[in-house]
Amino acid sequence: MDLNGAKIYSEGVGIGRDCEEKIRQIVSAIKTLSPSSDISFRFLKSGRVYEGLLWGSANDIPIGVYRRGPSMTHVLDYLYSKVKKDCLKMSKARGRPLSRGSRFDGGHQTPLAMAG
């Protein structure tokens, strides 16, 4: 499955509208800082535990985030908060803080890379 340019692999996990929207938010946050990023997700359900792995690169800097949790919402919320936090850190490290009103939901920002 491909969603907003990100490859998604899932085993035993149904990806509904809510999950798709959260995945779009994560991809938008990364692409806001690095439009040329290459991102992949793997989701797995094992018993009652969900696992999510995000990996790839943004401007040739590797990205990787992993989380286990009781639901897909829990896993995706963590992935989003980690990506958002790392994007903010990277933008500050580059000396280009994001504008006060900027959001990570698809708004356009200056391309920067992030490390995860």
Side-chain angles (χ1 to χ4, degrees), residues 55-70:
W55 78 93
S57 65
N59 290 342
D60 297 325
I61 297 174
I63 301 168
V65 183
Y66 171 79
R67 185 64 171 189
R68 292 175 70 172

Side-chain angles (χ1 to χ4, degrees), residues 3-84:
L3 186 64
N4 280 12
K7 296 176 194 104
I8 301 173
Y9 307 95
S10 65
E11 296 176 32
V13 178
I15 298 179
R17 288 189 185 265
D18 293 343
C19 293
E20 283 185 20
E21 184 57 36
K22 289 180 186 284
I23 292 169
R24 280 190 182 97
Q25 287 178 338
I26 295 167
V27 172
S28 294
I30 294 170
K31 290 195 180 260
T32 296
L33 296 177
S34 178
S36 63
S37 58
D38 178 30
I39 305 163
S40 298
F41 291 88
R42 177 171 293 279
F43 299 110
L44 173 69
K45 182 178 180 190
S46 178
R48 288 190 262 170
V49 177
Y50 292 83
E51 297 181 47
L53 173 65
L54 177 150
W55 78 93
S57 65
N59 290 342
D60 297 325
I61 297 174
I63 301 168
V65 183
Y66 171 79
R67 185 64 171 189
R68 292 175 70 172
S71 69
M72 275 297 288
T73 301
H74 175 82
V75 170
L76 288 169
D77 285 343
Y78 177 83
L79 294 178
Y80 178 67
S81 67
K82 181 69 173 158
V83 164
K84 182 178 167 183

Side-chain angles (χ1 to χ4, degrees), residues 81-108:
S81 67
K82 181 69 173 158
V83 164
K84 182 178 167 183
K85 180 180 171 183
D86 288 346
C87 287
L88 287 171
K89 260 195 238 180
M90 196 57 179
S91 68
K92 288 178 183 178
R94 293 282 177 118
R96 296 181 186 168
L98 299 175
S99 64
R100 264 186 125 181
S102 67
R103 297 174 32 199
F104 286 103
D105 60 2
H108 187 314

